[in-house]
């Protein structure tokens, strides 16, 4: 039950403004939830592995891709405000007007590198998670 709450909170918070429940998850809990190799930090791969699970969560028509509305629903806060621009920037493959799994993960890789991993070491630390939370 607790891991489900942590998963939901992390998904919402990383994509944009967190709900009030996100403030109850410590940076250490967030990183530990994503940290599958138990090295104390979250790598880009671990972050993207979590994001893969979110595709099915928001793919309302179960076609394996996210249309704009589905993509927008997966975001919060500033991410949602920029959804149209982000969608257009990452919608580059054969399936027009829908983000494929690869495109969705490309978007989240960009978010991780540009906004989450602020020290560019390839990992999200508890301190970086705390900064993400403070900005939202």
């Amino acid at each position: 039950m607790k891991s489900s709450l942590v998963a939901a909170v992390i998904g919402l918070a990383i994509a944009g403004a967190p709900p009030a429940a996100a403030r109850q998850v410590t940076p250490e809990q967030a990183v530990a939830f994503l940290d599958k190799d138990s090295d104390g930090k979250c790598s880009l791969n671990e972050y993207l592995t979590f994001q893969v699970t979110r595709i099915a969560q928001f793919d309302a028509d179960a076609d394996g891709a996210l249309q704009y509305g589905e993509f927008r629903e997966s975001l919060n806060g500033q991410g949602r405000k920029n959804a149209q621009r982000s969608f257009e920037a990452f919608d580059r493959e054969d399936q027009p007007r829908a983000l494929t799994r690869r495109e969705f993960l490309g978007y989240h890789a960009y978010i991780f590198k540009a906004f989450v991993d602020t020290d560019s070491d390839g990992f999200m630390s508890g301190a970086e998670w705390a900064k993400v939370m403070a900005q939202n």
Side-chain angles (χ1 to χ4, degrees):
M1 174 82 165
K2 187 172 183 176
S3 67
S4 298
L5 173 62
V6 173
V9 169
I10 290 170
L12 292 170
I14 289 175
R23 309 244 183 257
Q24 298 173 13
V25 175
T26 67
E28 294 76 20
Q29 288 172 315
V31 171
F33 178 81
L34 296 169
D35 179 20
K36 298 305 178 194
D37 64 5
S38 301
D39 66 355
K41 41 194 176 178
C42 171
S43 69
L44 173 60
N45 187 52
E46 290 166 326
Y47 174 81
L48 294 178
T49 298
F50 172 74
Q51 293 300 332
V52 167
T53 66
R54 299 184 72 239
I55 296 170
Q57 179 183 355
F58 291 97
D59 184 11
D61 59 7
D63 66 353
L66 297 180
Q67 279 66 41
Y68 171 70
E70 295 167 332
F71 173 69
R72 187 175 185 280
E73 284 301 309
S74 76
L75 306 174
N76 291 292
Q78 194 61 39
R80 187 170 280 183
K81 289 177 186 174
N82 295 328
Q84 184 69 45
R85 188 172 54 210
S86 297
F87 186 85
E88 291 170 1
F90 286 89
D91 183 22
R92 298 288 177 222
E93 293 186 359
D94 294 336
Q95 194 169 0
R97 305 304 306 152
L99 293 184
T100 63
R101 174 182 171 173
R102 181 177 165 168
E103 291 167 333
F104 182 75
L105 294 178
Y107 166 78
H108 282 287
Y110 167 75
I111 294 299
F112 183 91
K113 291 175 182 177
F115 301 105
V116 177
D117 180 20
T118 57
D119 64 5
S120 301
D121 68 350
F123 298 93
M124 177 182 76
S125 66
E128 287 168 323
W129 170 261
K131 286 180 189 175
V132 168
M133 296 301 293
Q135 293 172 357
N136 290 307

